[in-house]
Amino acid sequence: MKAPSCTANCAPPSRPVRPGTPAPRPAPPPDAGPARSASTSRARPTRRPHNDGTVGYPYTVYPNIVLPFAGTPFTVTPGASRTCTWDAARTNGRYDFTVHGPDGFVRRFAGTVIRDGQEGHNDVGVPIVTADPSNSARLTLQLANDGMTDICFTAAPNDFDGSAQTVWVKPGKQSRLVRPPDRQGHYDVTVTAGTGTRFTQRYAGRVH
């Protein structure tokens, strides 16, 4: 079996840096388009990092189950995005991979894909999580339910202080959780959803 694949999207040319200006730094990408245990016939959960900064942003993606443990490095150039896809059809519907980047950046996506029309799962809740670390005072988690039954989300801290938060989200609705970072701006939280699909997503890094 192949490791999770990463493909590039075209990027506009980077702007020149004028003498005397501060050195550019990669901006932490917003987590739009996270992997999701959604109903899909393609069974290909996808993670799409985007770089809003002015220099390249390096990542390495690792499989956590089934596949040989080996990192696949790639760089997201300014203004561009990369798509990392896990072929869950090769792993009996399961997916579990982690993306590492600079400044403590970690994103883990795990769960089980439920195909359209799969017996016993027509009314399953479909969790979607979007994390926004762009505010220096907080990490914002947007929790959405794209399914047909209520979902209980739990956000629990890992390496830093804080308490677990639980919220129920009804079908077609969404809710927002705000988690403060530590004094140095670090955050590390794992979000799970009680859907019976092993849905787990970890978000770690620094707010900016």
Side-chain angles (χ1 to χ4, degrees):
M1 297 181 181
K2 296 182 179 179
S5 59
C6 294
T7 57
N9 293 326
C10 293
S14 58
R15 297 178 181 177
V17 179
R18 295 180 181 178
T21 59
R25 59 179 299 178
D31 290 281
R36 48 187 283 197
S37 56
S39 300
T40 173
S41 59
R42 295 184 178 182
R44 297 175 70 88
T46 299
R47 167 77 173 98
R48 189 177 183 181
H50 183 81
N51 183 359
D52 290 325
T54 57
V55 296
Y57 202 94
Y59 293 90
T60 304
V61 58
Y62 296 90
N64 298 320
I65 59 170
V66 182
L67 306 174
F69 185 77
T72 301
F74 60 98
T75 299
V76 181
T77 55
S81 61
R82 295 286 292 264
T83 300
C84 295
T85 302
W86 179 288
D87 188 357
R90 295 175 174 265
T91 54
N92 198 28
R94 291 192 61 190
Y95 63 91
D96 191 341
F97 60 97
T98 301
V99 181
H100 290 261
D103 210 10
F105 180 95
V106 178
R107 298 293 186 268
R108 179 193 174 200
F109 303 96
T112 304
V113 171
I114 304 300
R115 294 179 177 84
D116 291 329
Q118 185 171 337
E119 185 177 357
H121 294 280
N122 292 329
D123 59 349
V124 70
V126 180
I128 303 173
V129 179
T130 304
D132 181 7
S134 61
N135 188 297
S136 61
R138 63 183 179 268
L139 170 71
T140 302
L141 298 170
Q142 194 75 25
L143 312 175
N145 182 354
D146 197 32
M148 300 176 63
T149 59
D150 294 358
I151 296 178
C152 178
F153 289 92
T154 300
N158 294 310
D159 292 339
F160 304 106
D161 292 338
S163 58
Q165 296 170 283
T166 299
V167 60
W168 284 87
V169 180
K170 293 186 175 297
K173 303 296 183 179
Q174 56 186 347
S175 183
R176 179 178 297 178
L177 287 181
V178 175
R179 299 193 63 88
D182 72 358
R183 293 181 179 180
Q184 288 73 44
H186 297 99
Y187 62 88
D188 190 347
V189 60
T190 294
V191 179
T192 56
T195 60
T197 58
R198 302 186 181 95
F199 182 93
T200 303
Q201 294 189 0
R202 180 187 178 192
Y203 298 90
R206 290 183 64 190
V207 293
H208 291 265

